[in-house]
């Protein structure tokens, strides 16, 4: 009978069985030969041609953009001379790789571990425990007690005594009195009720014993040791922008484009049928790199997407100024850095 996923425990960040990332030993995943599918050959990338905007469309688009800017004047839009309109397509390629990785750590808890449904003396290796993600491309972490790894032993904090040194009085049972002097009454000094004039008082934390119960074992002197398994599901995101060198790449994050190719598989094959050879090379580089980027992990799923974003670069002259701006995306957004005509705001 296999250990089901229902027996796992979600741990809080401060739980003693979680610990820091460096406390864990990551276990390499078993080698499994996976063959990529041939979807890319059977489904070539769609051909996209750029939109050619007329001079009137360029002016109307820029005028609408200026009107949304409260401090911009529209005189430039009306009087500028458009010298060149250059339509093009930029490609935005995105690759997501969803992986699983597992790690072990020697942990402890006060009481025995319960609920493992396994035959007697049956132990599992890290990658033999059945575990599945809730959803692909959704990061999550699960913690398990490795079945039949429990063993009762001496508590290392108190060395089996159940008591540890009191950190407040350092084992003396006494602390410095907080009331160094007492108020004068009728010309005579009264004795401090806590220390009776000795300047020391009983430690309240340990009740003057000098030791307190060990928190790790709750004073029992023994704890249950076990192997803790952590299963992590992570999504690694890679992307490549294929565009002219002078295009403002910061605008791509807000751009609306057309998805011309996307596919999800256990293991992807790079795109090779796009007319833009740079897209094929970018896909080949990122996909092949992803197959070997995480050697100790297991790739569960991959997906890639290619988006085409129409871009129109416009060159203009106005008075003694020569400049440029871009109209981009299917919603015809505008990127115009350092717009020259702004209204003066009086205080």
């Amino acid at each position: 009978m296999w250990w089901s996923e229902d027996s796992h425990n979600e741990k809080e960040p401060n739980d003693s069985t979680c610990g820091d990332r460096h406390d864990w030993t990551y276990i390499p995943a078993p080698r499994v030969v996976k063959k990529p599918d041939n979807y890319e050959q059977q489904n070539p990338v769609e051909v996209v041609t750029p939109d050619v905007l007329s001079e009137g469309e360029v002016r109307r688009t820029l005028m609408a953009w200026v009107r949304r800017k409260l401090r911009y004047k529209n005189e430039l839009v009306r009087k500028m001379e458009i010298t060149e309109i250059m339509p093009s397509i930029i490609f935005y390629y995105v690759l997501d790789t969803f992986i699983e990785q597992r790690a072990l750590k020697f942990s402890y808890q006060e009481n025995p571990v319960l609920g493992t449904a396994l035959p007697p003396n049956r132990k599992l290796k890290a990658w033999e425990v059945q575990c599945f993600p809730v959803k692909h491309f959704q990061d999550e972490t699960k913690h398990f007690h490795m079945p039949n790894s429990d063993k009762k032993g001496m508590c290392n904090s108190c060395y089996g005594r159940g008591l540890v040194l009191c950190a407040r009085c350092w084992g003396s049972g006494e602390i410095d009195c907080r009331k160094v002097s007492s108020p004068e009454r009728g010309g005579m000094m009264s004795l401090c009720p806590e220390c009776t004039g000795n300047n020391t008082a009983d430690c309240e934390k340990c009740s003057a014993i000098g030791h307190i119960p060990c928190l790790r074992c709750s004073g029992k002197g023994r704890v249950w040791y076990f192997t803790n398994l952590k299963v992590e599901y992570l999504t690694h995101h890679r992307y490549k922008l294929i565009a002219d060198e002078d295009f403002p790449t910061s605008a791509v994050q807000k751009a609306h484009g057309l998805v011309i190719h996307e596919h999800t598989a256990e293991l992807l094959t790079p795109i090779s049928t796009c007319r833009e050879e740079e897209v094929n090379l970018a896909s080949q580089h990122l996909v092949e790199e992803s197959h070997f980027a995480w050697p100790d992990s297991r790739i569960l799923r991959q997906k890639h997407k290619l988006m085409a974003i129409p871009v129109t670069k416009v060159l203009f002259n106005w008075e003694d100024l020569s400049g440029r701006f871009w109209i981009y995306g299917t919603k015809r957004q505008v990127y115009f850095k350092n717009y020259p005509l702004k209204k003066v705001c009086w205080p």
Side-chain angles (χ1 to χ4, degrees), residues 3 5 35 43 62 75-76 99 114 137 156 167 169 171 218 243 250 271 291 315 324:
W3 188 31
E5 186 181 355
K35 186 178 180 181
N43 298 270
L62 186 60
E75 182 182 350
L76 181 144
I99 68 167
L114 303 175
F137 304 104
N156 290 335
C169 67
S218 298
S250 59
I271 292 175
H291 291 172
L315 304 182
R324 59 183 179 175

Side-chain angles (χ1 to χ4, degrees), residues 90-92 239-256 307 309 311 324 326 328 333 335 337:
I90 68 173
F91 294 94
Y92 189 50
Y239 68 91
K240 177 67 175 179
L241 178 68
I242 296 94
D244 293 336
E245 293 183 0
D246 58 349
F247 181 77
T249 55
S250 59
V252 175
Q253 302 298 329
K254 301 178 182 179
H256 295 267
M307 185 167 63
I309 304 173
V311 174
R324 59 183 179 175
W326 288 266
Y328 66 96
Q333 298 156 274
Y335 183 90
K337 187 176 181 180

Side-chain angles (χ1 to χ4, degrees), residues 26-52:
Y26 284 83
I27 310 301
R31 295 295 180 185
V32 178
V33 179
K34 297 181 181 179
K35 186 178 180 181
D37 60 16
N38 58 354
Y39 177 88
E40 308 303 334
Q41 296 296 331
Q42 298 175 355
N43 298 270
V45 176
E46 178 184 345
V47 177
V48 181
T49 55
D51 295 333
V52 181

Side-chain angles (χ1 to χ4, degrees), residues 111-323:
N111 299 313
V113 183
L114 303 175
T116 53
L118 288 168
N121 302 322
R122 175 75 167 95
K123 290 186 177 182
L124 295 179
K125 296 180 180 180
W127 287 92
E128 292 179 333
V129 175
Q130 286 189 344
C131 182
F132 304 97
V134 174
K135 185 180 180 181
H136 284 146
F137 304 104
Q138 176 178 295
D139 293 1
E140 61 177 312
T141 302
K142 297 182 179 183
H143 291 270
F144 297 86
H145 297 301
M146 286 297 287
N148 298 322
S149 66
D150 311 274
K151 185 178 181 181
K152 193 172 185 180
M154 182 184 70
C155 176
N156 290 335
S157 292
C158 63
Y159 300 100
R161 293 176 296 181
L163 296 173
V164 294
L165 198 69
C166 177
R168 186 173 184 185
C169 67
W170 294 103
S172 67
E174 296 180 340
I175 58 173
D176 292 335
C177 182
R178 289 171 295 180
K179 299 179 180 179
V180 178
S181 61
S182 298
E184 185 176 357
R185 296 180 182 177
M188 297 181 61
M189 292 292 292
S190 61
L191 294 177
C192 173
E194 290 190 14
C195 65
T196 63
N198 295 322
N199 293 328
T200 59
D202 291 343
C203 177
E204 298 175 356
K205 186 173 183 180
C206 65
S207 301
I209 299 174
H211 291 77
I212 59 174
C214 176
L215 295 178
R216 183 174 186 181
C217 64
S218 298
K220 297 178 182 178
R222 300 178 71 82
V223 293
W224 285 89
Y225 292 97
F226 64 95
T227 303
N228 192 16
L229 170 66
K230 179 173 67 173
V231 181
E232 294 178 295
Y233 297 101
L234 304 172
T235 304
H236 291 279
H237 185 78
R238 300 287 187 271
Y239 68 91
K240 177 67 175 179
L241 178 68
I242 296 94
D244 293 336
E245 293 183 0
D246 58 349
F247 181 77
T249 55
S250 59
V252 175
Q253 302 298 329
K254 301 178 182 179
H256 295 267
L258 177 66
V259 177
I260 60 175
H261 189 84
E262 61 180 334
H263 181 52
T264 302
E266 188 174 2
L267 204 63
L268 287 174
T269 301
I271 292 175
S272 59
T273 58
C274 183
R275 287 190 175 182
E276 182 66 43
E277 187 58 27
E278 281 194 60
V279 172
N280 298 331
L281 294 175
S283 177
Q284 181 180 2
H285 172 72
L286 293 181
V287 170
E288 291 181 355
E289 181 185 55
S290 71
H291 291 172
F292 304 97
W294 308 279
D296 292 342
S297 305
R298 178 165 60 187
I299 295 178
L300 299 181
R301 208 76 177 163
Q302 287 189 302
K303 65 178 179 181
H304 60 183
K305 178 175 67 175
L306 181 63
M307 185 167 63
I309 304 173
V311 174
T312 300
K313 182 178 179 181
V314 181
L315 304 182
F316 69 92
N317 292 326
W318 177 71
E319 295 183 353
D320 59 346
L321 175 68
S322 296

